[in-house]
């Protein structure tokens, strides 16, 4: 229960950081304002994050954790790639309000992700999420996390997810789920050459 509350607070701070910096601009939002938005102290913010940039990418880290948890919860008899795709897609089912809001959010997110401080944190968050997934894949396949197989699979999943997110962010029409499905269909097919 305590751990769940910590995760919820961490995620609320991350969402507030993203929303406020998209609305006002990176340099126009203080840690104090972010903390106030979530009804916590600035000290509480600092207990969770060393910087605003770290807070921005915490959502990605959390998605990585949830994906790994979802993979562990899938039926053991389900084929690996089917389980992985189901675990990933399950993180993107929540609908976004409308296309116009999605476009504004996407444009703001693109600008936010261009901040040098955030780019460094995105790299770290990506590596953490990939490690979480590699551990879950190793558990599922009965291999060690140090084996190449779970690391390669996690890397491929991360690359596919990153490609879909980048593509969708540049043209955020509709849900990202069909695009993710297309990416993973191509990966599962062994990336055959285009016809």
């Amino acid at each position: 229960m305590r751990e769940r509350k910590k995760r919820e607070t961490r995620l609320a701070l991350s969402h507030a950081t993203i929303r406020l910096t998209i609305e006002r601009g990176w340099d126009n939002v203080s840690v104090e304002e972010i903390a106030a938005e979530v009804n916590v102290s600035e000290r509480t913010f600092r207990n969770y994050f060393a910087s605003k940039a770290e807070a921005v990418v915490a959502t990605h880290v959390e998605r990585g954790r949830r994906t790994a948890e979802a993979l562990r919860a899938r039926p053991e008899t389900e084929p690996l790639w089917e389980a992985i795709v189901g675990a990933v897609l399950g993180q993107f089912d929540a609908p976004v309000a409308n296309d116009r809001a999605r476009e504004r959010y996407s444009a703001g997110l693109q600008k936010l992700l261009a901040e040098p401080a955030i780019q460094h944190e995105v790299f770290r968050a990506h590596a953490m999420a990939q490690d979480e997934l590699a551990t879950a894949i190793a558990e599922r396949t009965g291999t060690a996390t140090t084996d190449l197989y779970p690391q390669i699979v996690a890397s491929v999943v991360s690359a596919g997810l990153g490609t879909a997110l980048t593509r969708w962010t540049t043209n955020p029409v509709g849900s990202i789920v069909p695009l993710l499905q297309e990416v993973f269909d191509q990966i599962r097919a062994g990336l055959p050459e285009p016809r």
Side-chain angles (χ1 to χ4, degrees):
M1 179 91 150
R2 187 175 178 195
E3 190 58 37
R4 191 181 81 207
K5 174 118 175 85
K6 282 179 157 180
R7 280 175 83 172
E8 288 171 358
T9 302
R10 185 176 176 80
L11 200 54
L13 286 166
S14 180
H15 286 305
T17 305
I18 293 168
R19 187 176 48 73
L20 291 174
T21 54
I22 285 175
E23 288 173 5
R24 301 179 192 171
W26 179 250
D27 294 322
N28 300 322
V29 178
S30 68
V31 167
E32 185 179 1
E33 291 170 315
I34 296 163
E37 189 76 11
V38 182
N39 294 319
V40 298
S41 68
E42 185 176 344
R43 183 176 179 189
T44 298
F45 179 96
R46 301 256 181 233
N47 286 339
Y48 285 97
F49 304 112
S51 66
K52 288 190 303 185
E54 193 177 308
V56 167
V57 301
T59 305
H60 180 65
V61 173
E62 181 61 23
R63 183 184 299 129
R65 282 190 187 117
R66 286 193 323 259
T67 301
E69 290 168 0
L71 179 58
R72 288 181 181 103
R74 306 281 304 188
E76 290 181 22
T77 56
E78 187 175 33
L80 178 63
W81 276 102
E82 191 174 319
I84 290 172
V85 172
V88 171
L89 294 182
Q91 307 314 308
F92 293 92
D93 286 343
V96 177
N98 61 51
D99 285 341
R100 190 168 176 86
R102 188 180 3 246
E103 287 171 15
R104 277 196 313 271
Y105 179 81
S106 177
L109 192 58
Q110 284 177 346
K111 190 174 180 182
L112 184 60
L113 292 175
E115 289 290 333
I118 292 179
Q119 290 176 350
H120 172 72
E121 288 299 327
V122 165
F123 179 78
R124 282 184 355 108
H126 181 72
M128 288 170 53
Q130 191 169 307
D131 286 347
E132 290 266 353
L133 185 58
T135 300
I137 291 166
E139 291 168 8
R140 186 175 184 93
T141 59
T143 57
T145 46
T146 54
D147 288 350
L148 277 176
Y149 185 79
Q151 292 176 358
I152 291 170
V153 173
S155 295
V156 169
V157 170
S158 295
L161 179 57
T163 300
L165 286 168
T166 300
R167 179 98 178 251
W168 184 82
T169 303
T170 60
N171 184 25
V173 177
S175 169
I176 191 173
V177 172
L179 180 58
L180 284 166
Q181 188 68 59
E182 182 181 344
V183 165
F184 287 113
D185 284 349
Q186 288 191 35
I187 289 171
R188 282 193 287 193
L191 294 172
E193 289 187 27
R195 293 180 194 144

